Amino acid sequence: MKNLFFVLIVIFGFTACTSKNSINTNNSTTSDQKAVNKTSKNTSNEEFNEDFGDDFDGGYAKVEEVFDPLSGYNRVMTTFNDKVFIYALNPTAKGYAYVLPKTVRSGISNFFDNLLFPLRFVNNLLQLKFQNSVEELGRFLINTTFGLAGFMDPAKTELGWEQHNEDFGQTLGFYGVGEGFHVVLPFLGPSNLRDIVGLAADSYVSPLSNTGSSDIQYKIPNNQTQSLVIRGSDIINGTSLRLGLYESLKKDSFDLYPYFRDLYNQRRNTLIKE
């Protein structure tokens, strides 16, 4: 009996010690885990703060202010152009598209593009893009003769010669001329000082403008009225081929004027670098 009692005491003591060690081990493990979690949390917070600080410094603190001395005028003119498009140009282009099938309108667009060959040829040449200039000359000869005066584009469809759109504003940018401040032109939309100078030079070279008609013999319009009619017809035809594009751009804007300004500047810088 005494032996049995002694055995029970030994078993009870062993069980108690085991339980105590288990509790201590669990407590130690829990404490270590809490320490790890605390360390991980602190590390994560430090990394987050560091990353956030980098993003803040890079994305917000260093945002460059746009030099825009005509912002008041530009906002008014942007609103004016927007109303002209919504209430005049877009409805006219839709009616025009309803009357003429897309095939005809595409042919008219090709015709106008073919007439603007001198503009692209000269500016590609000025930018030392000689291969592009040669292709532009080949495009003009082939499309004028085999493309029914330019209404068709066999140079592209048959030979794969793409059109290389360059203007004098891009040429000035190619030689390092800065864009200057932003200017929104009535009816024409976003521009800048450099591109306004380029627009004047392009108008002198373009066959669709009467500017410089006394010096250049290939000018089509004889006066400013004819020039405006031709230019207006080109704009209406082009808009009819891009119905919905303006609305899709506009719906993404929170503030219409700076959105179009930045979009224009980014687009022009990309074209100059190409």
Side-chain angles (χ1 to χ4, degrees):
M1 185 68 178
K2 289 181 179 181
N3 292 335
L4 180 59
F5 183 72
F6 176 76
V7 172
L8 291 175
I9 290 175
V10 172
I11 294 173
F12 179 79
F14 178 78
T15 303
C17 290
T18 304
S19 300
K20 184 177 181 180
N21 290 336
S22 178
I23 291 172
N24 291 337
T25 302
N26 290 337
N27 289 338
S28 176
T29 302
T30 303
S31 300
D32 292 342
Q33 186 63 38
K34 288 182 178 179
V36 171
N37 290 340
K38 184 176 181 181
T39 303
S40 299
K41 182 177 182 181
N42 291 336
T43 302
S44 298
N45 288 337
E46 291 175 0
E47 291 176 352
F48 173 78
N49 291 332
E50 183 179 355
D51 292 341
F52 181 78
D54 291 341
D55 289 342
F56 183 83
D57 292 339
Y60 296 91
K62 297 181 182 178
V63 172
E64 295 183 3
E65 292 187 7
V66 177
F67 179 61
D68 194 0
L70 299 181
S71 60
Y73 158 81
N74 287 335
R75 284 184 176 276
V76 172
M77 191 53 61
T78 297
T79 302
F80 170 77
N81 288 339
D82 179 63
K83 300 303 181 185
V84 169
F85 182 88
I86 292 175
Y87 297 109
L89 179 57
N90 203 41
T92 303
K94 286 182 178 179
Y96 178 83
Y98 180 79
V99 174
L100 291 179
K102 186 176 180 179
T103 304
V104 176
R105 290 181 282 123
S106 296
I108 294 174
S109 179
N110 291 337
F111 175 74
F112 279 119
D113 286 341
N114 193 57
L115 290 176
L116 291 175
F117 149 75
L119 200 65
R120 296 188 299 273
F121 177 78
V122 169
N123 282 291
N124 275 287
L125 203 60
L126 290 174
Q127 295 179 41
L128 311 180
K129 298 177 180 179
F130 302 118
Q131 179 64 34
N132 292 355
S133 299
V134 171
E135 287 190 5
E136 281 295 333
L137 179 59
R139 280 178 52 82
F140 177 74
L141 294 176
I142 291 174
N143 288 343
T144 302
T145 54
F146 298 103
L148 302 178
F151 282 95
M152 299 176 65
D153 192 357
K156 178 180 178 180
T157 57
E158 302 298 329
L159 300 177
W161 290 353
E162 296 285 345
Q163 185 170 284
H164 304 286
N165 293 315
E166 301 288 346
D167 55 54
F168 197 70
Q170 291 171 247
T171 299
L172 292 175
F174 174 80
Y175 286 102
V177 178
E179 64 189 35
F181 54 81
H182 196 76
V183 183
V184 179
L185 300 175
F187 304 106
L188 299 180
S191 188
N192 53 49
L193 290 181
R194 180 189 62 209
D195 288 347
I196 289 176
V197 174
L199 189 64
D202 289 337
S203 179
Y204 184 83
V205 177
S206 172
L208 303 182
S209 169
N210 70 315
T211 304
S213 56
S214 58
D215 302 323
I216 301 176
Q217 301 301 317
Y218 59 70
K219 296 285 184 174
I220 296 176
N222 296 318
N223 52 55
Q224 187 64 27
T225 301
Q226 292 179 4
S227 178
L228 290 175
V229 170
I230 293 173
R231 178 58 177 160
S233 301
D234 185 21
I235 292 175
I236 292 173
N237 187 77
T239 303
S240 73
L241 295 170
R242 297 185 295 271
L243 292 174
L245 177 60
Y246 179 82
E247 292 86 344
S248 65
L249 290 174
K250 183 180 176 181
K251 73 178 182 179
D252 294 328
S253 67
F254 177 76
D255 190 351
L256 195 61
Y257 163 60
Y259 177 74
F260 280 165
R261 178 196 64 200
D262 295 343
L263 196 66
Y264 176 82
N265 290 338
Q266 292 171 10
R267 175 61 177 163
R268 293 296 289 175
N269 289 334
T270 300
L271 291 175
I272 290 171
K273 292 177 182 178
E274 289 181 350

